[in-house]
Amino acid sequence: MAPHERARPLAPGSPYPARDLCSQCGLCDSRWIAYVRRACAFLEQRFEAMEEHAHGRSRDLDNEDELYFGVHQRMLTARLRQPIEGAQWTGIVSRLGVRALETGLVDAVLCVTQSADDRFTPVPILARTPEEVLSARVNKPTLSPNLKVLEQLPGSGIRRLLAIGVGCQIQALRAVQDSLPLEQLYVLGLPCVDNVSREGLQTFLESTVSSPETVVHYEFMQDFRIHFRHSDGREETVPFFGLDTPKLKDVFAPSCLSCFDYTNAGADLVVGYMGATFGRQWLTVRNDRGAELLALVEDELDTAPVTSRGDRRAAVQQGIEAYDKALKLPRWLAELFGLVIGRIGPQGLEYGRFSIDSHFTRNALWVRRNHPAMADRHIPAFARRIISRYRLPSL
Ligand code: FAD
Ligand code: SF4
Ligand code: SF4
């Protein structure tokens, strides 16, 4: 009998094996908790083994694009010619899920809808119809227990699955993939950073936006501003540099302050935005299954090559120091700074590197200060190489 056939999901209220670092990925709410020791992204980092298993090789650390963005065959930027109303960006992810069902590529899509009474409380599902996939469109910017629905797989008749998820969920999924009752698994990844619990999201909204209760959508965008959409259709933007850093330093979940899987290393195809110019989405095809997924929608996309402009390094170094001192700029200076950096600052892939550098250095410092015993084995080789390019404050 395989370990998961004997195991039971964690009982409600039990401590999760990764304790305060748990990202609530949902694995431990399924019988696949049996593999938690080697599957949990916060107990053991296994990037090289995961990349080898998923893509047939690990990333080439001497190739600057692979160092940053992981194993890939191709990167491009795109927009759906007919954007999906209410999607996070143009809805490429939802359209891919719909096409995967319509073409019979898969029997179900693992995605995340929202609770009936709270737009930001995630409810993972195994969607069997295009309508269910579409009901999952738009980010739920909170920790989501996606993998708990693995518990529904046995006896469901689902043999071919498309799983949509963020890095920590995909790391755990890849580790248990061979024990799932599936013939084929496709993985559509989202880049992810700075996620929060539902309570953390409330603190973030209350300290940042004019009417937190009416926010229906937000995104940190490539123009160095956070764009909020309210339920009455009103748009509000706030410069990154105007955030209340002293208040927000503790808002991000500990899992996310110790995460180095920003670009979702284990997915077949990754759909984000940060390597594209403003308003476009950014796609990274990691392997043949990723190419197969992209082919489902490519003729519906307006595509363009990736571009890169500017030099991020001085801005990253200044940001490390400002964040560490928890400086809060006055609003007029934050607006001015945002305007200047938005005009002459990093764009395209260089914006992606700006964001990766800023988050990896911050997270390395957080791990070394808060979990010194695990820092050396937890920070992956690719992240260590990136971090070594900057001066970090003393511990
Ligand atoms: P849509 O068609 O609107 O579909 C969104 C999909 O996201 C749905 O299928 C849903 O199942 C899934 N989803 C929603 N919430 C969650 C969740 N909490 N966990 C797992 N899956 C979820 N991209 C970047 O380039 N840089 C970033 O820093 C970045 N941070 C992100 C942080 C979070 C928490 C999330 C969920 C996404 C982030 N992304 C980031 C991805 C980006 O915001 C878009 O989700 C992506 O480009 C797809 O847009 P879309 O319009 O095609 O998606
Ligand atoms: Fe379990 Fe996932 Fe939490 Fe790790 S992050 S302890 S695998 S629920
Ligand atoms: Fe998971 Fe990392 Fe995203 Fe946090 S930042 S939810 S740990 S992928």
Side-chain angles (χ1 to χ4, degrees), residues 16-18 22-28 36 40 42:
Y16 284 81
C22 172
S23 71
Q24 305 289 324
C25 79
L27 186 84
C28 298
V36 66
C40 177
F42 307 96

Side-chain angles (χ1 to χ4, degrees), residues 221-290:
M221 289 208 189
Q222 303 101 320
D223 60 350
F224 295 86
R225 301 182 75 85
I226 312 165
H227 292 235
F228 295 93
R229 196 183 317 136
H230 292 273
S231 48
D232 60 1
R234 184 167 54 92
E235 289 268 353
E236 179 177 0
T237 72
V238 175
F240 291 179
F241 308 103
L243 287 177
D244 190 346
T245 312
K247 209 178 257 173
L248 294 180
K249 261 187 125 177
D250 298 325
V251 110
F252 304 121
S255 52
C256 308
L257 288 166
S258 64
C259 172
F260 297 90
D261 200 10
Y262 196 169
T263 58
N264 212 320
D268 299 319
L269 171 69
V270 185
V271 181
Y273 65 87
M274 67 177 179
T277 47
F278 185 66
R280 297 183 68 82
Q281 292 186 257
W282 166 54
L283 283 72
T284 307
V285 180
R286 299 206 183 285
N287 57 33
D288 291 347
R289 279 182 309 280

Side-chain angles (χ1 to χ4, degrees), residues 146-159:
N146 278 27
L147 300 185
K148 77 193 281 188
V149 298
L150 295 181
E151 191 58 21
Q152 297 167 22
L153 278 181
S156 66
I158 296 168
R159 308 298 293 170

Side-chain angles (χ1 to χ4, degrees), residues 23 42 143 166-168 192-195 255-256 259 261:
S23 71
F42 307 96
L143 300 175
V166 297
C168 56
C192 179
V193 77
D194 290 351
N195 213 345
S255 52
C256 308
C259 172
D261 200 10

Side-chain angles (χ1 to χ4, degrees), residues 84 86-95 109-113 122 133 136-144 146 164-166 169 189-195 218-220 262 271-275 281-282 355 359:
I84 296 177
Q88 184 69 15
W89 285 75
T90 69
I92 294 175
V93 167
S94 297
R95 185 67 191 143
V109 179
L110 194 174
C111 52
V112 191
T113 58
V133 172
R137 70 193 186 283
V138 77
N139 291 358
K140 288 79 208 174
T142 44
L143 300 175
S144 175
N146 278 27
I164 301 172
V166 297
Q169 300 159 357
L190 307 170
C192 179
V193 77
D194 290 351
N195 213 345
Y218 75 85
E219 188 73 273
F220 287 69
Y262 196 169
V271 181
Y273 65 87
M274 67 177 179
Q281 292 186 257
W282 166 54
S355 196
H359 288 95

